[in-house]
Amino acid sequence: MLRRALRCTPALALCASAFVAGCGKDNKAADSARVADSIAAATPAPAPAPAPPTLTDANIAAILDGANATDSSAGAVAVAKGTSADIKSFAKDMMRDHHALRKAGQDLVKKLNVTPELPAGDNSAATAAAWMDTLNATAKGADFDKKYIEHEVAYHTAVLATAQAALGAAQNQELKDLITKAAPNIQAHLDHAKSIAGKM
């Protein structure tokens, strides 16, 4: 019966044989070490967790450019379809501010001779396109206003977090300076969007 159990569980068999082989020795510490070594040898090591991708300056430039383009475009739709004065005013601010942030980023990457490139597996362009489709398909009215401003709260929260991560990953000091300069504007947009959403 012992033989059948040992055949069924190779790791147990290895431990048992190591233990039996060591029983004739006087040194119990050595026996324990041998058993532990046998168990360790029979147990596969866990696979290492994949490291998160490191953002390059080209990745950061592409991500921030896309975020600014998306919010500026969404603002243009909201100016046309928004019904509340707050929504229309906020949307105009988004068009103006994100266009300016995008231009500053484009000027910097041109100066630095960096070609923006999204990180592998990034789906932000598809997400932005889907959001624009949703905005364009939503009828003008209170539902549009609510949908737009709720998205702006979530979007600016995400963009602010992305900017903080990008600040830590950026290699070029001028790119870091641009992110640092833009962060208070993004925070102000978030606060304004939350204020409008709170009234709806």
Side-chain angles (χ1 to χ4, degrees):
M1 182 160 168
L2 177 61
R3 286 183 186 167
R4 192 172 80 202
L6 293 177
R7 272 197 313 264
C8 294
T9 55
L12 182 60
L14 189 57
C15 292
S17 65
F19 180 74
V20 170
C23 283
K25 307 271 191 229
D26 291 334
N27 188 340
K28 290 185 180 182
D31 292 345
S32 296
R34 246 185 252 111
V35 170
D37 289 346
S38 296
I39 292 170
T43 306
T54 302
L55 293 177
T56 65
D57 286 356
N59 296 153
I60 294 166
I63 290 168
L64 297 180
D65 184 66
N68 284 316
T70 297
D71 218 27
S72 182
S73 297
V77 175
V79 164
K81 293 179 82 171
T83 54
S84 130
D86 284 341
I87 292 294
K88 286 184 169 290
S89 175
F90 180 83
K92 285 178 185 174
D93 290 347
M94 295 309 96
M95 288 175 59
R96 181 195 63 232
D97 294 353
H98 285 284
H99 176 76
L101 288 170
R102 187 174 190 208
K103 173 98 170 62
Q106 289 173 336
D107 290 348
L108 180 60
V109 296
K110 185 176 180 182
K111 175 185 172 187
L112 299 176
N113 198 26
V114 171
T115 302
E117 178 184 359
L118 287 170
D122 182 273
N123 64 352
S124 58
T127 302
W131 170 236
M132 291 304 295
D133 289 345
T134 298
L135 276 182
N136 287 316
T138 303
K140 184 175 185 171
D143 184 50
F144 176 92
D145 290 359
K146 186 174 188 302
K147 194 175 284 189
Y148 171 72
I149 203 63
E150 286 176 352
H151 182 272
E152 287 299 293
V153 170
Y155 196 70
H156 281 87
T157 300
V159 169
L160 197 58
T162 300
Q164 293 304 318
L167 185 60
Q171 298 298 307
N172 182 279
Q173 187 59 49
E174 288 181 86
L175 181 56
K176 288 183 180 197
D177 292 345
L178 181 67
I179 296 166
T180 301
K181 183 178 177 184
N185 292 337
I186 297 167
Q187 182 65 60
H189 293 166
L190 174 59
D191 294 343
H192 191 185
K194 283 180 176 179
S195 172
I196 296 169
K199 297 176 193 173
M200 297 188 134

